[in-house]
Amino acid sequence: MITRRMFQTRLVAALAATSLPLDLAFGATTGTDDDALWLNRLTFGASPTARAEIASLGRPAWFERQLTLPVSDPGLADRLARARLRIAYAAGEGDSPSWPAVDELRPLSLLQAEPAELVRLLIWDEGKGLEYSERMRPAKEVAAAALIRAVHAEAQVREMMTQFWHDHFNVQALREPTLAALFPPYDAALRDHALGNFRRLLGAVAKAPPMLYYLNNADSIASPANENFARELLELHTLGADNYLNDRYSTWREVPGAEAGLAEGYLDLDVYEVARAFTGWSVGDGRWLEDGAQAPRSGVLHYVARWHDPYQKRVLGREFAPNRGPMADGEEVLDILAGHPGTARFISEKLARRFLADDPPAALVQRMAEVFSATTEAPDQLAQVLRVLVLSPEFAAPPGKLRRPFEFLAAIYRASGAEVTSTENGFLWQLVRAGWRQHDFGPPTGHPDRTQAWTGASTLNRYVDMALGGLEDGFDGARADLSPPLGPDETLYAFSARHADALVPGAGAEIAPDLIEVFGLDAEAPADSIPSDDRQSLARAAVAFAALTPTFLLR
């Protein structure tokens, strides 16, 4: 039978085929065809439907269609409506339990819930009698839906961009109820704006309760303001660490451009001033504000004027007058940062790193940044920037990035025609073992996006586990019937090769003979000469062997 050691050997062979040291081996070229290259980079994996569509339309037309697909997807909505996720907990303690025991498969009913409905999970006098799992449920539903969307959504480019923004604007949603309860609207906002205008996206993020909680701005009050959100807004969300100039200049006037009203980069002083600008941006979660005053129970941003620092400020050299209207200081900060050339370069480079290479060509990044800056008012600004990347000559470069764990698992499911059936979110635990925490990554940086971060021995062993067990029922990810239908007079060799080719066209000729030998079968025997369960095992092995080839591992 197929053993784990065989799969580890297959993975090592895949790395050795690149002719580079193990930890750097993923920069090698493979024989990936151009259509597959686009699908591997711009989707969660090449499915049979996607291969047929891109072959029919041609790559540019396929890409343009992807950019214009609406957020709404009736087929995906139907899948999400039919999905079930288990929730189970014991009865509350005491003589009179405050809640009964629960163990049921429940629909993903909170994905579309209104914030005012979700916020009740956080309010004690309304939410008492709710077990902890109920409070965490909204984020768990988003996590369950993430795999369904990645595998089955038609708008694959939008879903890829949504995952990109989840890393860029990271929130550790599964850490605690305040982050989990209002997470579905946050996920929806990132998806809505994924290919739209960056300033609108940035504003939606800055006002989102999960971000306000995660980076402590919901409690930021004048004198002193909490700096967490301000620092990450500058360092991670907009200008980037390369534009942090505190080690070069001691006063704001020294920074080039500052005296003209737009400094090239930021100092610690700018962080403090930005923090002051966002004081009072809190959450309508029913919180106590002062004697006789509570925040509304809206579940959305609530501006607390008495918490705001109203005095004059200076951000990146621009003077802010005192005593302006509600939220005017924070809105102007977002305007400045969204239109800053440093933000254009930072976002463009991150996009190129995500979709092309760890170290993208500087000239390409510059062209993307120029379009970013020229389209700051355009409703499809981000789509235009992505178009520069995808239609560039540089985009034809050979594969060089390793699929990250979530993408690797989703790609196996898409290629094999699997149906996502997770009812326990068990796949999340499998991904955690590989270092991937969907909507639960702790640092605000989000998951790393350089290949070397995913090439440790422990992580690579988990790739073997995903290839070997991802289609097994016990994995709690997806289910695929890999046995029927059989082709006319299909042999066991052809059957094995067909399933390997589904992941990597042409790989079956190499993989099928090894499998036939390992299983002790007659290559020319009819496929229906062995029991259906054995055919399933043979097919899963073919899928797994193909998944551990350089062509599939790399994108």
Side-chain angles (χ1 to χ4, degrees):
M1 287 296 294
I2 297 291
T3 66
R4 177 183 172 83
R5 181 173 296 277
M6 292 178 185
F7 284 95
Q8 289 173 322
T9 302
R10 186 79 194 183
L11 178 59
V12 172
L15 303 183
T18 63
S19 302
L20 292 173
L22 186 66
D23 61 343
L24 298 174
F26 295 102
T29 63
T30 69
T32 306
D33 63 88
D34 290 339
D35 285 355
L37 190 70
W38 277 45
L39 293 174
N40 290 342
R41 286 180 175 164
L42 296 171
T43 77
F44 280 98
S47 67
T49 299
R51 287 182 186 277
E53 185 180 58
I54 200 170
S56 173
L57 296 177
R59 291 187 293 278
W62 172 87
F63 177 62
E64 291 301 324
R65 181 175 181 275
Q66 281 286 313
L67 293 182
T68 58
L69 284 172
V71 176
S72 61
D73 179 340
L76 180 62
D78 179 64
R79 288 183 184 277
L80 292 172
R82 288 186 281 109
R84 297 292 184 270
L85 178 64
R86 186 174 301 282
I87 183 167
Y89 50 84
E93 297 179 356
D95 295 335
S96 299
S98 55
W99 59 77
V102 169
D103 186 351
E104 63 187 31
L105 290 173
R106 187 182 296 175
L108 307 184
S109 58
L110 300 177
L111 294 180
Q112 305 297 327
E114 293 296 325
E117 176 185 348
L118 296 170
V119 79
R120 290 202 298 269
L121 300 174
L122 301 178
I123 299 172
W124 175 247
D125 59 356
E126 292 191 21
K128 61 185 176 182
L130 282 178
E131 201 269 348
Y132 186 79
S133 298
E134 298 284 2
R135 302 174 190 274
M136 297 296 293
R137 176 74 182 192
K140 291 183 177 181
E141 288 191 8
V142 174
L147 186 61
I148 296 173
R149 293 180 186 279
V151 175
H152 297 298
E154 183 180 15
Q156 282 285 299
V157 171
R158 182 177 293 276
E159 287 303 318
M160 288 285 285
M161 286 291 288
T162 301
Q163 181 65 63
F164 172 83
W165 293 123
H166 267 297
D167 280 326
H168 185 78
F169 296 115
N170 184 57
V171 166
Q172 189 184 7
L174 293 170
R175 187 178 73 190
E176 59 188 36
T178 55
L179 299 170
L182 293 165
F183 195 65
Y186 184 68
D187 174 63
L190 296 188
R191 184 167 292 103
D192 288 344
H193 295 286
L195 292 164
N197 180 272
F198 182 73
R199 171 61 181 87
R200 295 176 191 172
L201 170 62
L202 188 65
V205 168
K207 297 172 184 175
M211 184 61 74
L212 290 165
Y213 287 132
Y214 179 58
L215 295 179
N216 309 113
N217 208 78
D219 303 309
S220 187
I221 304 174
S223 301
N226 189 296
E227 299 167 17
N228 284 2
F229 174 69
R231 190 167 294 278
E232 306 307 359
L233 175 66
L234 292 165
E235 180 178 336
L236 298 179
H237 299 170
T238 57
L239 297 180
D242 287 348
N243 286 304
Y244 177 57
L245 307 179
N246 217 64
D247 59 337
R248 300 181 221 175
Y249 306 105
S250 57
T251 68
W252 71 272
R253 285 189 174 88
E254 295 176 358
V255 181
E259 293 204 45
L262 187 64
E264 288 185 1
Y266 66 99
L267 310 177
D268 282 341
L269 177 61
D270 294 293
V271 176
Y272 309 148
E273 297 289 86
V274 169
R276 293 176 59 215
F278 284 98
T279 50
W281 289 41
S282 189
V283 179
D285 55 7
R287 67 177 57 208
W288 179 90
L289 300 176
E290 63 181 6
D291 288 345
Q294 286 184 301
R297 300 178 177 185
S298 62
V300 298
L301 177 138
H302 174 62
Y303 178 67
V304 186
R306 65 178 65 89
W307 288 4
H308 182 62
D309 183 335
Y311 301 107
Q312 65 271 20
K313 305 170 183 69
R314 182 187 299 111
V315 176
L316 297 179
R318 184 179 298 184
E319 301 284 349
F320 287 23
N323 301 310
R324 304 204 297 174
M327 300 177 63
D329 289 343
E331 294 285 7
E332 185 164 358
V333 168
L334 298 178
D335 288 342
I336 294 170
L337 295 176
H340 197 287
T343 298
R345 290 191 299 272
F346 181 60
I347 300 299
S348 296
E349 185 173 17
K350 284 196 72 171
L351 283 169
R353 180 173 298 119
R354 171 84 294 261
F355 289 99
L356 179 59
D358 283 356
D359 297 300
L364 172 60
V365 172
Q366 180 59 32
R367 296 198 305 274
M368 294 170 65
E370 289 171 357
V371 171
F372 188 105
S373 294
T375 57
T376 54
E377 301 298 322
D380 64 341
Q381 177 192 20
L382 296 168
Q384 291 194 49
V385 174
L386 190 62
R387 184 181 289 113
V388 175
L389 169 65
V390 173
L391 299 183
S392 70
E394 293 91 335
F395 200 71
K401 287 184 73 77
L402 176 67
R403 294 185 197 268
R404 297 186 299 180
F406 182 83
E407 299 151 11
F408 179 71
L409 182 62
I412 290 175
Y413 291 160
R414 281 179 60 78
S416 62
E419 296 285 327
V420 176
T421 58
S422 178
T423 56
E424 312 279 352
N425 270 0
F427 75 94
L428 293 177
W429 178 78
Q430 302 285 356
L431 292 172
V432 166
R433 297 173 69 220
W436 183 272
R437 297 176 177 270
Q438 185 71 16
H439 304 320
D440 195 32
F441 194 76
T445 53
H447 292 96
D449 199 15
R450 288 188 176 274
T451 289
Q452 195 165 18
W454 304 101
T455 56
S458 177
T459 297
L460 293 177
N461 274 325
R462 303 292 80 76
Y463 279 71
V464 173
D465 290 341
M466 284 187 278
L468 181 59
L471 293 173
E472 298 279 358
D473 288 345
F475 199 87
D476 184 42
R479 182 175 295 113
D481 186 352
L482 299 177
S483 180
L486 298 176
D489 302 321
E490 187 170 29
T491 65
L492 287 169
Y493 174 91
F495 176 81
S496 304
R498 173 161 61 88
H499 286 287
D501 287 342
L503 271 71
V504 180
E510 174 191 353
I511 290 171
D514 291 342
L515 290 178
I516 294 297
E517 180 179 354
V518 166
F519 277 83
L521 300 171
D522 177 0
E524 298 305 315
D528 59 5
S529 65
I530 62 175
S532 177
D533 286 349
D534 290 345
R535 287 201 302 275
Q536 290 274 1
S537 296
L538 181 61
R540 283 196 293 266
V543 166
F545 267 53
L548 297 175
T549 62
T551 301
F552 193 82
L553 285 164
L554 302 180
R555 46 171 291 278

